[in-house]
Amino acid sequence: MLATTPQKTAIMTLIRRLGLDKEQIVEAATNGRTTSLRETTLEEARQLLDKLGAQPKEDPCQKMRDKIYSMAHQMRWTIPGQPDKVDITYMNQRLVKYGYLHKRLHKYKYNELPKLVTQVEQMLNHYLTGK
């Protein structure tokens, strides 16, 4: 099976960023079989990405979700007897009932999360001030 388009794109991006010679890199990765990135196998591309130092992509939503988890913790939406662990079931029940799109946290898309973060910030403020 040949390398995927995302793999080839990532390899080219890294090669350009590092200022390397594509043909030499591909030839070394394929043990001299080819100098064409199009002809690399899935495994060769995976190994090449590892050698070039490719980092797995971070979920862009995670930072906003982490902020919501933090605020849930501050509002004591925690598991009874385990004050350090957010009760995700309870949190999701609250988000389904009061969240502006009425769905669980991981169902919110990237462009929907900023508004939810703002809404949960307002909930936290209300919780902290009692107003």
Side-chain angles (χ1 to χ4, degrees):
M1 183 174 212
L2 294 177
T4 65
T5 300
Q7 282 179 316
K8 291 184 280 192
T9 302
I11 290 168
M12 283 308 301
T13 300
L14 288 167
I15 286 172
R16 285 186 193 120
R17 185 179 303 152
L18 298 170
L20 303 173
D21 180 73
K22 180 188 73 94
E23 285 77 20
Q24 282 183 329
I25 296 295
V26 173
E27 186 174 28
T30 62
N31 294 319
R33 187 177 54 79
T34 184
T35 60
S36 172
L37 194 54
R38 289 184 190 139
E39 296 174 12
T40 58
T41 66
L42 195 62
E43 186 57 33
E44 289 168 340
R46 189 175 298 129
Q47 290 174 3
L48 184 53
L49 283 167
D50 286 344
K51 286 180 184 174
L52 292 173
Q55 299 296 317
K57 287 188 178 180
E58 221 176 88
D59 180 2
C61 300
Q62 196 56 47
K63 190 170 183 179
M64 290 182 275
R65 287 185 191 128
D66 287 345
K67 186 166 185 170
I68 290 172
Y69 285 126
S70 174
M71 291 184 287
H73 186 265
Q74 290 176 60
M75 290 185 281
R76 307 226 190 304
W77 295 356
T78 55
I79 297 173
Q82 296 180 342
D84 292 341
K85 287 188 122 181
V86 171
D87 186 339
I88 295 178
T89 303
Y90 179 75
M91 178 184 67
N92 279 322
Q93 288 171 348
R94 301 285 296 194
L95 294 177
V96 167
K97 187 171 183 179
Y98 299 111
Y100 82 103
L101 293 177
H102 305 285
K103 53 187 179 180
R104 297 181 349 235
L105 178 59
H106 285 316
K107 295 291 181 180
Y108 279 85
K109 295 183 178 124
Y110 179 78
N111 62 331
E112 300 167 339
L113 278 167
K115 188 170 181 178
L116 182 65
V117 168
T118 300
Q119 187 177 21
V120 176
E121 284 173 337
Q122 292 170 346
M123 294 166 86
L124 174 62
N125 188 41
H126 179 76
Y127 174 82
L128 294 173
T129 62
K131 294 182 184 180

